[in-house]
Amino acid sequence: MIRRVWVTRAEPGASRTADRLTALGFEPVVAPLVAIQPIPQAAPDLTGFAALAFTSGNGVAAFASLTPDRSRPVFTVGDATAEAARAAGFAPVRSAGGDLDRLAALLMRQGPAIGPLLVPGALEPAGDLPALLRGHVEATALPVYEAVATGAAAPGAFDALLIHSARAARALAALGPFAGQTAVAVSAAAAQPLGDRSGLDIRRATTPDETALFEALGNPPRRV
């Protein structure tokens, strides 16, 4: 039975995930394995860029802190990132409603005229959007944040844990092996660093979003 759930993602997302778990009847244990560090730099020169593409809310937050310019249309990998972009003042914002491949497909449907495209994101991104767009839309990556390991230890007791990124999974793998607890990953890419020797029962969300992540987690046992 799963009741105590370890939330490994970085803040501020960890607290939002914990609130959702509590509402569903779980007991969240927040101990982030990664932290988000903005990459200090001067305000980016947006001259020549026609649009922006974001693959995470962390990218939105880091980029928005660098410039007050909100004049370019924005495309995002999913709805949560789109909400973050709108909250940061970007408009118009269009969501691909899925994963990186869907975002690339959405951008390619716009045609070459949508570029040149700026892609603010992680120093070590989980996927390479400019590479997916090569030959279709001109795109340039701009590292604006870095995910770093916190060095946190595993909680003393937990039934399951949530993995939101491959970076968190790599940090988790360094702590194992575990004793049969359930690990629920947001995607196959996020689960991959765990390999097959982690000691965890690994489940994967059917789509790379938190709603599907919770569906894969299942329901908590009923309290008596």
Side-chain angles (χ1 to χ4, degrees):
M1 294 189 299
I2 295 174
R3 183 171 296 282
R4 288 176 57 83
V5 181
W6 176 13
V7 181
T8 68
R9 71 183 301 194
E11 292 287 13
S15 292
R16 293 194 297 268
T17 296
D19 288 344
R20 292 186 67 180
L21 287 169
T22 299
L24 291 170
F26 293 100
E27 297 177 5
V29 182
V30 178
L33 290 176
V34 293
I36 301 302
Q37 291 185 355
I39 297 174
Q41 58 181 271
D45 183 1
L46 300 184
T47 303
F49 290 104
L52 303 171
F54 292 106
T55 59
S56 72
N58 292 324
V60 172
F63 181 77
S65 70
L66 295 175
T67 175
D69 193 327
R70 302 291 188 268
S71 62
R72 272 76 173 170
V74 165
F75 295 84
T76 70
V77 69
D79 296 343
T81 304
E83 291 176 9
R86 294 186 185 102
F90 292 100
V93 177
R94 186 170 176 183
S95 169
D99 57 16
L100 199 66
D101 289 335
R102 290 187 182 181
L103 178 56
L106 171 62
L107 291 165
M108 284 189 279
R109 286 197 298 271
Q110 310 306 306
I114 195 60
L117 186 73
L118 186 65
V119 186
L123 181 64
E124 298 180 13
D128 190 344
L129 182 60
L132 292 176
L133 295 174
R134 191 167 296 132
H136 300 276
V137 179
E138 182 182 348
T140 302
L142 175 68
V144 292
Y145 74 91
E146 181 178 11
V148 298
T150 63
F158 65 95
D159 305 312
L161 59 92
L162 302 180
I163 306 170
H164 285 74
S165 69
R167 184 67 186 87
R170 290 199 298 272
L172 180 66
L175 299 177
F178 293 90
Q181 296 97 328
T182 298
V184 187
V186 74
S187 65
Q192 191 275 333
L194 293 177
D196 56 4
R197 299 181 181 180
S198 65
L200 295 163
D201 174 21
I202 301 174
R203 304 178 187 175
R204 297 172 182 82
T206 55
T207 56
D209 56 75
E210 198 165 70
T211 297
L213 191 72
F214 288 159
E215 289 175 354
L217 179 64
N219 297 316
R222 300 183 67 177
R223 293 185 182 275
V224 295

